[in-house]
């Protein structure tokens, strides 16, 4: 058994937590406060992804501007390494709280800009708000959550956190649709802005962490983050495998929506319902991620979830619509379990003083694969043979399994070297 495989559930973390933090056993109840806050934030993000394009389309009549309003919200993920450096330079609870406040205020500003036909400024505002989304996600997932959960319940914590946030994501489109129909786009956006303010208020009662001592410049911290990314043995290979997987499977939900509307002739209501069920499947997978194979080493649990995703991807190639939908739900469940397992794996491997930067670099590569997936699957879904439409998802899922196994074998064959970090 190599050193990474020893970091399974219940194992001691790779690095000690900084002094001055409250005992995790005394903060388990506040873990649920964080989970509630993160779920409200996720509900707001999902809500915004539907409400903003709809409102811009209603205000301007421009499908291009409506589409761009969604694209600019994802663009900041490419700049994750820059934001990770900012995260590592400040106390994490404060970073989370400020990022939620900024998102709320910016979203509240957008209706006023739309009223005066300043759509271009709306896109700029959404770009900045997207930076807040990236910062919130990185801070809550890899700093605040582990701080509030006992070490022997970390897997359980990630599982419950993932299930709750995925359920919020599932409810987002339905809630947005009801509010949009009931009060209109402007009020819908103001209600959405209020969810971020609620999240910030919840964050205010979380225990304060230790403020990092930062004596280095921004560029030097950037270099240290990339150096740490390269030097921590498990990080580059996990990033590679997740990026390869996302290359084929990252855009499956979006492409399935296109397939249902254009090829199967489904109504938007039915297509949206399938995506909601897929999100519920992801929540189920997150819940199972903390319960299945708990005694297995972390390396093996990661591989097993990749295998679940590969088996589910095979169902996407079938010619029957019902089987494709079941395969999609199973794929989302596999991804939910994989997220829980890999998030815990990352936390145990990455020292806290560089966790913001290293996870940000990882996220840039991983979500880059998801962005390219939209191009690859967008092409394959137009093919007449149904067996080829989702073939990239199956191929990259199997390739991820092989790469994960092969990279572990190569590491086991090398002589052990001392781990170096910034």
């Amino acid at each position: 058994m190599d050193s990474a495989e020893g970091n399974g559930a219940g194992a001691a973390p790779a690095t000690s937590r900084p002094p001055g933090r409250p005992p995790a056993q005394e903060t388990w109840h506040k873990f649920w406060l964080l989970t509630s806050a993160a779920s409200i934030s996720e509900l707001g993000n999902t809500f915004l992804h539907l409400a903003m394009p709809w409102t811009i389309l209603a205000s301007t009549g421009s499908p291009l501007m409506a589409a761009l309003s969604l694209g600019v919200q994802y663009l900041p993920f490419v700049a994750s390494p820059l934001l990770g450096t900012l995260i590592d330079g400040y106390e994490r609870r404060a970073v989370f709280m400020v990022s939620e406040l900024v998102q709320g205020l910016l979203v509240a500003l957008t209706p006023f800009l739309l009223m005066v036909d300043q759509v271009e400024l709306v896109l700029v505002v959404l770009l900045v708000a997207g930076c807040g989304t990236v910062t919130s996600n990185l801070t809550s997932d890899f700093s605040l959550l582990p701080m509030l959960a006992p070490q022997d319940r970390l897997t359980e914590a990630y599982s419950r956190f993932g299930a709750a946030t995925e359920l919020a994501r599932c409810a987002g489109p339905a809630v947005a649709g009801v509010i949009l129909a009931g009060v209109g786009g402007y009020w819908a956006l103001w209600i959405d802005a209020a969810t971020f303010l609620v999240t910030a208020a919840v964050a205010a009662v979380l225990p304060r962490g230790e403020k990092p001592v930062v004596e280095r410049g921004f560029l030097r911290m950037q270099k240290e983050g990339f150096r740490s990314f390269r030097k921590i043995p498990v990080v580059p290979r996990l990033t590679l495998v997740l990026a390869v997987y996302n290359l084929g499977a990252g855009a499956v939900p979006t492409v399935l929506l296109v397939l249902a509307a254009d090829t199967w002739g489904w109504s938007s209501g039915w297509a949206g319902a399938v995506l909601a069920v897929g999100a519920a499947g992801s929540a189920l997978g997150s819940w199972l991620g903390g319960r299945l194979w708990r005694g297995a080493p972390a390396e093996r649990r990661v591989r097993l979830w990749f295998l679940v995703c590969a088996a589910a991807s095979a169902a996407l190639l079938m010619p029957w619509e019902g089987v494709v939908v079941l395969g999609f739900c199973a794929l989302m469940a596999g991804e939910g379990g994989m997220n829980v397992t890999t998030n815990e794996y990352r936390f145990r491997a990455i020292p806290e003083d560089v966790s913001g930067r290293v996870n940000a670099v990882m996220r840039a590569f991983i979500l880059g694969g998801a962005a390219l997936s939209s191009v690859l699957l967008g092409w394959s879904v137009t093919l007449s043979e149904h067996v080829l439409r989702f073939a990239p998802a199956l191929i990259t899922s199997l390739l991820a399994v092989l790469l994960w196994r092969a990279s572990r074998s190569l590491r086991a064959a090398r002589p052990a070297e001392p781990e170096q970090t910034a």
Side-chain angles (χ1 to χ4, degrees):
M1 180 185 299
D2 65 4
S3 59
E5 191 169 70
N7 289 330
T15 57
S16 60
R17 302 295 96 189
R21 288 198 167 187
Q25 288 78 3
E26 299 177 8
T27 58
W28 182 245
H29 67 287
K30 290 192 175 179
F31 159 79
W32 286 110
L33 284 177
L34 172 65
T35 300
S36 300
S39 298
I40 294 171
S41 180
E42 189 61 46
L43 177 67
N45 290 335
T46 309
F47 188 113
L48 187 62
H49 292 164
L50 178 61
M52 184 57 69
W54 188 93
T55 305
I56 289 181
L57 184 62
S59 299
T60 67
S62 171
L64 175 60
M65 286 297 180
L68 286 176
S69 72
L70 186 60
V72 296
Q73 294 177 60
Y74 286 109
L75 189 60
F77 284 99
V78 179
S80 290
L82 299 176
L83 299 172
T85 299
L86 294 176
I87 292 171
D88 283 342
Y90 297 92
E91 192 269 315
R92 307 300 170 79
R93 187 201 65 159
V95 171
F96 180 77
M97 187 164 51
V98 170
S99 63
E100 291 297 303
L101 283 172
V102 168
Q103 289 179 81
L105 293 174
L106 291 175
V107 172
L109 176 63
T110 55
F112 296 107
L113 294 175
L114 289 172
M115 290 177 188
V116 293
D117 296 325
Q118 296 296 320
V119 182
E120 292 79 7
L121 282 179
V122 169
L123 297 182
V124 175
V125 166
L126 290 176
L127 181 65
V128 179
C131 294
T133 301
V134 175
T135 304
S136 295
N137 291 347
L138 287 171
T139 307
S140 62
D141 292 1
F142 301 109
S143 293
L144 296 179
L145 186 155
M147 181 182 76
L148 297 175
Q151 294 302 313
D152 60 348
R153 301 179 71 178
L154 187 61
T155 302
E156 178 187 353
Y158 269 117
S159 173
R160 295 185 177 188
F161 183 87
T165 53
E166 288 296 338
L167 284 174
R169 185 180 299 174
C170 173
V175 173
V178 171
I179 294 179
L180 282 168
V183 299
Y186 293 160
W187 273 104
L189 291 173
W190 284 323
I191 292 173
D192 179 37
T195 66
F196 293 102
L197 302 182
V198 171
T199 305
V202 172
V205 304
L206 296 177
R208 186 184 298 274
E210 187 174 81
K211 183 178 180 180
V213 178
V214 181
E215 299 178 351
R216 303 176 300 282
F218 184 86
L219 290 179
R220 183 175 177 184
M221 290 184 69
Q222 278 282 287
K223 292 178 181 178
E224 290 173 351
F226 279 98
R227 187 182 302 116
S228 297
F229 170 83
R230 296 196 314 270
K231 294 294 184 180
I232 301 173
V234 301
V235 166
R237 69 190 187 104
L238 179 61
T239 304
L240 172 64
V241 173
L242 288 173
V244 168
Y245 171 81
N246 269 348
L247 180 63
V252 164
T254 302
V255 172
L256 182 67
L257 187 64
V258 173
L259 180 67
D262 288 352
T263 303
W264 297 344
W266 288 18
S267 68
S268 58
W270 276 110
V274 169
L275 294 185
V277 172
S282 184
L284 175 62
S286 297
W287 182 79
L288 293 173
R291 288 158 178 78
L292 295 182
W293 309 307
R294 291 187 65 174
E299 292 265 351
R300 192 172 302 164
R301 285 188 289 129
V302 172
R303 184 170 71 249
L304 287 169
W305 282 114
F306 273 124
L307 284 170
V308 170
C309 292
S313 296
L316 297 177
L317 309 185
M318 298 295 105
W320 306 287
E321 296 173 11
V323 176
V324 173
V325 170
L326 288 176
F328 167 69
C329 294
L331 180 65
M332 294 297 98
E335 289 187 0
M338 182 168 59
N339 286 338
V340 167
T341 308
T342 54
N343 280 352
E344 178 199 354
Y345 190 82
R346 288 158 70 171
F347 167 73
R348 295 188 183 278
I350 302 171
E352 189 180 28
D353 61 335
V354 293
S355 65
R357 284 167 283 174
V358 173
N359 280 297
V361 174
M362 293 181 72
R363 180 158 291 186
F365 285 112
I366 293 168
L367 292 181
L372 292 174
S373 175
S374 62
V375 178
L376 182 59
L377 285 178
W379 165 77
S380 65
V381 78
T382 62
L383 300 177
S384 58
E385 293 293 332
H386 58 79
V387 74
L388 299 177
R389 289 171 181 162
F390 289 101
L394 176 60
I395 292 171
T396 59
S397 298
L398 292 173
L399 187 57
V401 174
L402 295 175
L403 284 173
W404 185 249
R405 179 65 183 176
S407 61
R408 178 183 178 276
S409 300
L410 288 173
R411 286 188 61 231
R414 294 175 182 171
E417 296 180 359
E419 184 175 308
Q420 300 177 16
T421 60

